[in-house]
Amino acid sequence: MPSGIRGKDLAGLRKMNTAVVIRALRARSPQTVSQLTSTTGLSRPTIEGLVETLSARGWVAETEGSPSGRAGGRPARSFRFRSEAGLVVGVDIGLHKVVMDLSDLAGETIARVREDTDPEMTGLARLEFLRTRLAALLSAQSVTSDRLLAIAVGVPGMVDSTGRFRSQVIPDWNDVDLARRLADTFSCRILVENDANLAVVAEHWRGAAALVDDAVCILAGRRIAAGLLLSGRLHRGRRGGAGEMSTLPHLGLGPAHESLRWSGERLPGESDIEALTRAAAEKDPRALAAVHDFARRLAPAIAALILAVDPELVVLAGGISPLADALVPSLTEELDHMTQHVPPITASTLGEAVVARGAVRRALDAVNRELLDDPESLTPMT
């Protein structure tokens, strides 16, 4: 075999083995060299060489010595993946709010901010708002944008394979390449995804759907859309439009949120949903009637999804999730008349951060692919 080909093969093998070690340490840290040898199937000399290289690059760190298992023996060398070696930001931006989640490579939140937005803001002003708020978050945490590995943004509408966005919610952003626009300010990888898709990703990652592989996540507030998880994988559809139910006027989802307007007693600072949730918990007849009316409007769209997908679980997320205790019984009753089987229905466990958390997971997936493909392509934080 020519030496040039042999060199390429050896480099490829080393890259593959490096990825195996990174994947093992990301799955469980810390591990000793012996544990890594058992976990990966690689030889001890290979493991020792790779962890030294990864330590020198900043992706792996040696931990305090752990017992070797031998009386009086030296502590076994133990290594962990440095989850602090990089940062990602997940963003949820819509017509009325922005939520941003700064996380490390283990997906642990370092900082999260939420801010209301002006629904009358122009598309250009909203883009500048997003830029400045991202920069402010990074500055507040003493992180410059060039230290980020990825930003993922969840938006209310269809996102095609090129990253272009179409929405009835923010029509000024139709056909805008949001990732390219943000790349003018932030030098890291930037991704854009539908918000409901990110919600179901978040629920499967660390939420109510963590133990199921077929789930529907209803993201509902002023707009209603669904994210679909099929066989453990996000289903986006051919053009990224799977689950965009509110675009079909015959379903009547557009005005459905009007059922949740609350004209009854309100405590200082309470939103409509908060007041309605409190009143429903107190069995206020007006509140229960409002919740049931919303369930009646929502049920046909969910029934269609249940009949088409037959999910293991339906998760209620977004602005309506606090209402779940009152909404689930009414929704189950309505669906019972429309479908052959009503799957379990539950509330999101992630609250208003659900889309931002899904965006974090999307950003981490992109970083993982790049890191496992070529660890030298990314520069870790020291």
Side-chain angles (χ1 to χ4, degrees):
M1 179 183 297
S3 59
I5 300 297
R6 185 180 298 113
K8 290 181 181 179
D9 288 348
L10 290 174
L13 179 61
R14 184 173 180 81
K15 183 183 291 187
M16 181 175 66
N17 288 344
T18 300
V20 168
V21 172
I22 291 174
R23 186 179 290 112
L25 287 175
R26 294 217 59 184
R28 180 167 64 89
S29 280
Q31 292 191 57
T32 64
V33 171
S34 295
Q35 289 170 329
L36 282 170
T37 299
S38 176
T39 300
T40 64
L42 300 175
S43 69
R44 187 180 186 90
T46 298
I47 291 293
E48 289 175 338
L50 290 174
V51 295
E52 291 297 338
T53 299
L54 288 169
S55 295
R57 290 178 184 166
W59 291 114
V60 166
E62 188 168 356
T63 63
E64 295 296 327
S66 56
S68 64
R70 302 188 302 272
R74 290 192 310 168
R77 298 182 71 193
S78 184
F79 298 87
R80 67 175 180 86
F81 179 77
R82 292 184 65 241
S83 59
E84 71 274 20
L87 299 170
V88 301
V89 176
V91 180
D92 170 18
I93 185 163
L95 196 63
H96 296 87
K97 73 175 189 310
V98 61
V99 179
M100 296 180 291
D101 188 310
L102 176 68
S103 295
D104 65 16
L105 295 185
E108 299 303 323
T109 298
I110 295 170
R112 181 181 299 146
V113 296
R114 181 197 187 280
E115 188 171 344
D116 292 334
T117 61
D118 180 1
E120 301 300 323
M121 195 181 299
T122 67
L124 187 60
R126 193 175 302 276
L127 179 60
E128 185 58 27
F129 176 90
L130 178 56
R131 280 199 189 102
T132 58
R133 294 311 187 271
L134 276 169
L137 170 64
L138 298 175
S139 176
Q141 296 300 315
S142 300
V143 178
T144 56
S145 60
D146 62 336
R147 305 303 298 195
L148 282 180
L149 300 185
I151 297 171
V153 183
V155 291
M158 293 172 55
V159 181
D160 65 20
S161 58
T162 70
R164 290 187 177 274
F165 171 51
R166 293 199 63 81
S167 172
Q168 295 178 347
V169 178
I170 311 177
D172 283 359
W173 277 6
N174 280 343
D175 291 325
V176 168
D177 187 342
L178 188 58
R180 184 179 65 80
R181 299 276 184 168
L182 290 175
D184 294 340
T185 305
F186 305 100
S187 58
C188 63
R189 176 183 291 272
I190 300 174
L191 310 114
V192 180
E193 181 59 272
N194 169 268
D195 55 0
N197 287 347
L198 293 177
V200 78
V201 165
E203 294 296 342
H204 187 54
W205 177 35
R206 291 187 174 177
L211 298 180
V212 304
D213 286 334
D214 295 279
V216 169
C217 181
I218 306 298
L219 185 66
R222 294 177 175 87
R223 161 181 162 270
I224 298 171
L228 309 178
L229 185 80
L230 304 180
S231 300
R233 298 175 65 88
L234 174 66
H235 179 72
R236 301 180 72 255
R238 177 71 173 179
R239 297 171 181 82
E244 283 297 299
M245 305 178 298
S246 60
T247 60
L248 186 61
H250 296 82
L251 287 175
L253 292 177
H257 69 277
E258 293 175 2
S259 298
L260 303 180
R261 296 187 187 279
W262 180 242
S263 58
E265 181 185 355
R266 190 191 305 261
L267 299 179
E270 275 189 331
S271 66
D272 278 349
I273 291 294
E274 289 168 340
L276 190 59
T277 299
R278 176 181 51 77
E282 295 169 355
K283 305 301 181 184
D284 185 308
R286 295 171 301 168
L288 295 177
V291 171
H292 188 80
D293 186 59
F294 181 71
R296 179 185 58 79
R297 296 185 185 213
L298 190 59
I302 297 180
L305 286 173
I306 290 173
L307 291 170
V309 176
D310 191 20
E312 299 174 66
L313 181 70
V314 174
V315 182
L316 304 178
I320 63 166
S321 54
L323 272 174
D325 286 347
L327 182 58
V328 168
S330 291
L331 194 54
T332 301
E333 179 184 343
E334 291 291 326
L335 291 171
D336 194 46
H337 302 303
M338 302 177 183
T339 65
Q340 297 175 344
H341 168 70
V342 180
I345 304 172
T346 190
S348 168
T349 60
L350 300 174
E352 69 174 9
V354 61
V355 173
R357 293 302 289 158
V360 165
R361 180 68 265 172
R362 178 75 172 84
L364 289 175
D365 288 342
V367 170
N368 287 346
R369 283 192 296 270
E370 192 168 351
L371 177 58
L372 293 177
D373 181 62
D374 185 4
E376 295 184 8
S377 66
L378 298 175
T379 302
M381 297 173 64
T382 57

